[in-house]
Amino acid sequence: MESRTRKSALNVLFSEISYAVILVLQFVSRSIFIQLLPAEYLGMNGLFSNVLSFLSLAELGVGAAINYALYRPLKEKDTETLKSLMALYRRLYTGIGLIVLTTGSLLASFLPFLIKDMPEDIPGIYMYFLLYLFNSGISYFCTYKRALIVCDQKEYITTFISAVSGILLKGIQIVVLILTRSFGAYLGVMIVMTLLNNLVISAVAGRMYPYLKDRNVKKTDPAISREIRKNVYALVFQKIGDSIVYATDNMIISKFVGFAAVGLYSNYTLVLQAVQTAASRFFEALTASIGNLVVTDEKEHVEEILYRILFINAWMFSFCSICLLCLVQPFIRLWIGPQYLLPEGTLFLMVLQFYLAGMRSTAGTFRRAMGLFWYVRYKPMVEGILNLAVSIPLAIRFGIAGTLMGTIISTFFMSSVAEPYGMFRIYFRKGFLKFMLAQIQYGVVTIGAGLLTFGACSWFTSYTLEEFVIRMAVCALIPNLCMVVVYRKNEHYRFFMDTILIMCKKAVMRFRKSR
């Protein structure tokens, strides 16, 4: 238990610190990007990222299915099973990489269909798309070894390597942009660093797990193969549905609103996704430990841990959502200027989408760690179809706001209920209503704290740097104070406060001993 907790803490710590450093460089890079390149390049950057996310459908959930299969043999140190699973992983991902590169090359000819007004001042648009494609495709040929390190609860190793390569990437891209003002050179640096990152992680995995080099590999156990095939089949629908919901927004905006609108929208998504990625890294770092917990502990203990993590989840996304609602507009104004602002209503919808997606984190993390892919296999497809059916007409009528409305409606009706329902019905066989009531309670607290904070921030309207700092102080104080007042008698709040107090006492004792 202590080892699992320590590994989780290391994974979270390394993940968050490295991401914070990369995030600062990312904003510097985006600022220089906006200053030195035409606005259409920013829209192209967002559109191509969405298109390539859609191409990741070729992965079809293979990674998640095999990752789940790795937890037990890693726990039992069953190297023969691990060797056979990793050989299967390598074969499948090599094929997937080839499919992505081939399909993407064919898709390049359909770019005019995805862009409402094809920009004439970007003559190399097809070449740029192929460079993005190559960067995406090459990752599949090495990434399977990363999965073994992560499933072994040592994600801090891959995080450190990725952090170093990410810092180098952003730093070199900034220099290249300043010296050359070439978008092609900017993408070239990205490809080189992607290759280096994957090769280094592959080499490290080879040294950590020497049996990966063993050519004497048995055929995968038929029972494990059947379970993987079953889970992959279920994950096909999830991948397609998730891609429709989350990887089509920029494509819909580009087609029905305009290419320039994608650029404006992408500045906001950069901020929101930066916060969401930082938060999601916390849950990603816990997945392997939860997978280990699920295969070794009783369901009552698993449920107890679930509610503890849900409490952190709610506090985290309540606080982040309130801060985003109050700070993003003045931040964009100070960062790149008022000409890049979107309406307040559009920001509210983006934050609402952020909150709904974030509150899925606990159920989603536990469901993946439990391997419960089969029982919700059709839900993502229904969600994706609903999203398109609602988003396209709303985008035509309301622009970017309409696209967001479609995503919010599909997420609210399909994911906030269906995902946890499947998990509680299949694994715990009880407790779904309790879980939903907890979600509602956390939502009500978020609304109350948000109204108080937004009201306090509305007094500051000059949008100066000084007032932005005051707004930050208000956002740091009011939401957290509200949650302390509301949750002070909550058992999960007391547990975490006691844990923090014990950790602080241990740190003080170690410090005194070291003197």
Side-chain angles (χ1 to χ4, degrees):
M1 173 66 179
E2 184 178 348
S3 176
R4 187 191 300 135
T5 303
R6 188 178 65 83
K7 287 179 178 179
S8 296
L10 275 174
N11 289 338
V12 171
L13 181 65
F14 272 76
S15 183
E16 298 297 353
I17 291 175
S18 64
Y19 185 67
V21 176
I22 294 172
L23 183 60
V24 172
L25 288 172
Q26 189 172 2
F27 275 100
V28 174
S29 176
R30 175 61 65 94
S31 302
I32 295 171
F33 191 106
I34 291 170
Q35 294 296 321
L36 299 182
L37 294 175
E40 287 79 8
Y41 282 88
L42 194 58
M44 180 172 60
N45 189 59
L47 174 63
F48 288 175
S49 297
N50 260 194
V51 172
L52 293 173
S53 295
F54 206 75
L55 280 176
S56 69
L57 278 173
E59 198 265 352
L60 295 179
V62 168
I66 298 182
N67 286 358
Y68 173 69
L70 289 171
Y71 291 137
R72 189 171 293 279
L74 277 168
K75 177 70 177 176
E76 298 172 354
K77 302 188 185 304
D78 183 355
T79 56
E80 291 302 318
T81 299
L82 289 170
K83 280 160 56 179
S84 63
L85 285 172
M86 293 307 292
L88 174 63
Y89 216 146
R90 183 183 66 250
R91 291 195 301 272
L92 290 173
Y93 261 55
T94 300
I96 289 165
L98 293 172
I99 291 170
V100 168
L101 291 172
T102 304
T103 307
S105 300
L106 296 173
L107 185 63
S109 59
F110 292 93
L111 285 180
F113 175 76
L114 298 174
I115 301 172
K116 184 178 181 181
D117 300 307
M118 195 73 169
E120 297 179 0
D121 55 345
I122 307 181
I125 191 167
Y126 293 101
M127 180 193 72
Y128 296 144
F129 177 77
L130 292 175
L131 288 174
Y132 266 100
L133 172 66
F134 184 69
N135 182 72
S136 177
I138 56 176
S139 296
Y140 289 100
F141 298 105
C142 297
T143 195
Y144 70 97
K145 290 186 179 179
R146 179 196 303 262
L148 186 60
I149 300 174
V150 172
C151 290
D152 200 19
Q153 302 181 71
K154 296 174 182 174
E155 189 178 359
Y156 54 87
I157 295 172
T158 62
T159 298
F160 177 76
I161 296 169
S162 297
V164 173
S165 65
I167 292 167
L168 288 173
L169 168 63
K170 291 303 176 187
I172 296 171
Q173 280 184 325
I174 290 169
V175 174
V176 165
L177 273 179
I178 293 172
L179 294 178
T180 68
R181 300 197 177 197
S182 169
F183 190 59
Y186 177 90
L187 296 180
V189 173
M190 179 174 67
I191 291 170
V192 170
M193 294 310 302
T194 298
L195 276 169
L196 286 175
N197 179 57
N198 284 312
L199 289 173
V200 170
I201 289 177
S202 182
V204 169
R207 294 191 65 177
M208 291 175 62
Y209 310 101
Y211 53 79
L212 292 177
K213 301 174 184 177
D214 191 347
R215 297 184 177 227
N216 183 23
V217 179
K218 295 179 181 179
K219 192 174 181 181
T220 308
D221 183 274
I224 296 176
S225 295
R226 283 194 300 271
E227 183 70 16
I228 290 173
R229 283 198 299 270
K230 179 181 177 182
N231 286 336
V232 167
Y233 175 76
L235 284 163
V236 166
F237 297 100
Q238 181 174 325
K239 290 287 290 184
I240 294 173
D242 286 349
S243 293
I244 293 173
V245 174
Y246 297 109
T248 56
D249 281 359
N250 279 341
M251 287 187 270
I252 292 172
I253 294 169
S254 174
K255 179 64 181 176
F256 297 104
V257 184
F259 206 41
V262 178
L264 291 178
Y265 178 67
S266 68
N267 290 325
Y268 281 77
T269 56
L270 174 63
V271 179
L272 270 72
Q273 285 177 1
V275 178
Q276 188 154 21
T277 301
S280 65
R281 280 171 173 254
F282 170 81
F283 295 97
E284 288 169 6
L286 292 178
T287 302
S289 295
I290 293 170
N292 179 272
L293 172 74
V294 168
V295 300
T296 56
D297 281 5
E298 296 294 328
K299 290 183 180 180
E300 288 76 12
H301 183 54
V302 174
E303 185 177 9
E304 181 184 2
I305 299 300
L306 181 145
Y307 278 102
R308 287 178 183 172
I309 293 176
L310 177 64
F311 178 77
I312 300 174
N313 187 172
W315 194 309
M316 181 187 299
F317 277 91
S318 295
F319 174 68
C320 290
S321 298
I322 293 167
C323 289
L324 288 169
L325 187 64
C326 297
L327 297 176
V328 169
Q329 289 290 65
F331 175 77
I332 294 289
R333 184 186 290 267
L334 288 169
W335 174 36
I336 50 179
Q339 68 273 26
Y340 289 95
L341 290 175
L342 289 172
E344 290 276 0
T346 302
L347 173 62
F348 171 77
L349 292 172
M350 293 179 76
V351 173
L352 179 58
Q353 180 185 334
F354 169 89
Y355 178 79
L356 291 175
M359 288 304 294
R360 297 171 59 184
S361 300
T362 299
T365 301
F366 273 80
R367 183 175 55 81
R368 287 191 298 274
M370 293 168 180
L372 299 178
F373 308 117
W374 178 258
Y375 302 100
V376 291
R377 59 192 181 280
Y378 298 124
K379 189 277 302 178
M381 278 292 292
V382 176
E383 182 181 359
I385 293 169
L386 176 63
N387 179 68
L388 282 181
V390 178
S391 291
I392 291 175
L394 286 177
I396 296 171
R397 177 68 179 84
F398 298 107
I400 296 175
T403 306
L404 294 167
M405 290 177 199
T407 304
I408 289 168
I409 290 169
S410 61
T411 301
F412 179 78
F413 284 106
M414 296 304 304
S415 293
S416 299
V417 176
E419 283 186 359
Y421 175 75
M423 178 180 66
F424 278 91
R425 184 174 71 87
I426 302 303
Y427 183 82
F428 295 111
R429 301 184 184 277
K430 62 175 184 177
F432 170 68
L433 182 59
K434 175 185 174 183
F435 183 83
M436 293 307 298
L437 289 174
Q439 295 263 42
I440 292 170
Q441 177 194 350
Y442 292 139
V444 170
V445 173
T446 301
I447 292 170
L451 289 172
L452 287 173
T453 310
F454 190 80
C457 287
S458 65
W459 288 91
F460 309 103
T461 57
S462 64
Y463 298 107
T464 61
L465 180 60
E466 291 77 9
E467 285 205 353
F468 182 75
V469 172
I470 295 173
R471 277 176 173 254
M472 289 178 64
V474 169
C475 290
L477 179 64
I478 294 179
N480 288 308
L481 185 60
C482 289
M483 285 183 266
V484 168
V485 170
V486 174
Y487 298 135
R488 67 189 184 281
K489 295 183 180 180
N490 183 292
E491 60 178 305
H492 306 303
Y493 173 82
R494 292 199 301 269
F495 170 81
F496 285 111
M497 290 299 103
D498 291 343
T499 303
I500 292 170
L501 185 61
I502 291 170
M503 291 173 65
C504 290
K505 287 180 178 178
K506 286 182 178 179
V508 171
M509 289 174 64
R510 288 195 192 103
F511 176 74
R512 286 177 177 174
K513 286 181 180 179
S514 65
R515 295 184 65 182

